[in-house]
Amino acid sequence: MSTEVDQETFSLRPNYKNKFRANQVRDVIRKVLVDKLDGCEYNADSVSSLTKEVADAIRDKLKQQEYDRYKLIVNVFICEQKGDGVKMGCRCFWDQDTDSYAQDIYMNKSLFAVATVFGIYHY
């Protein structure tokens, strides 16, 4: 008599193929920022929807790369280009072996955008 036991596998680390790669994610961010913002003028009335559109596009492109068991957090800021400086910071409690982030900046004469993606491995 043979019984098949269905065991759930539990992994504390992603396999090498599915690990969050900041350089590849940065390339995706750069491509989306250029595609969506090239030639755009800053408009305070429409910047909110544009920000959501850019963040959704980045998230959708990254979902195609199949980062299994990663929670992807996409954060996009679009501001008017007036020559002012901006400082941004963030703090997270994470596992530096599995979790990471990538960011890129886009600028033109009218606006600048900062997009950050955090990849948090879900144990």
Side-chain angles (χ1 to χ4, degrees), residues 90-107:
C90 112
R91 300 199 191 285
C92 296
F93 181 73
W94 68 19
D95 183 347
Q96 70 182 26
D97 291 335
T98 59
D99 305 338
S100 189
Y101 78 99
Q103 74 174 14
D104 202 9
I105 300 168
Y106 174 86
M107 288 191 273

Side-chain angles (χ1 to χ4, degrees), residues 24-105:
Q24 290 176 355
V25 173
R26 190 174 300 112
D27 292 342
V28 169
I29 294 170
R30 168 56 66 178
K31 183 175 181 345
V32 170
L33 288 176
V34 169
D35 289 349
K36 296 287 184 183
L37 300 178
D38 199 31
C40 281
E41 295 286 323
Y42 183 83
N43 181 347
D45 296 330
S46 64
V47 75
S48 178
S49 62
L50 180 61
T51 302
K52 291 175 189 173
E53 183 181 327
V54 170
D56 289 344
I58 292 170
R59 183 199 61 213
D60 293 343
K61 291 265 187 195
L62 290 175
K63 279 186 175 182
Q64 294 172 1
Q65 292 190 358
E66 297 180 11
Y67 286 113
D68 294 338
R69 299 182 70 174
Y70 271 93
K71 179 174 184 151
L72 300 174
I73 303 166
V74 181
N75 195 359
V76 176
F77 292 96
I78 299 177
C79 300
E80 189 171 11
Q81 183 75 277
K82 288 188 169 184
D84 296 338
V86 173
K87 293 189 179 188
M88 296 172 56
C90 112
R91 300 199 191 285
C92 296
F93 181 73
W94 68 19
D95 183 347
Q96 70 182 26
D97 291 335
T98 59
D99 305 338
S100 189
Y101 78 99
Q103 74 174 14
D104 202 9
I105 300 168

Side-chain angles (χ1 to χ4, degrees), residues 6-22:
D6 212 13
Q7 293 184 343
E8 207 173 300
T9 58
F10 184 76
S11 176
L12 290 177
R13 300 279 181 249
N15 64 24
Y16 183 75
K17 184 178 112 185
N18 294 339
K19 194 168 182 179
F20 187 90
R21 291 180 171 62

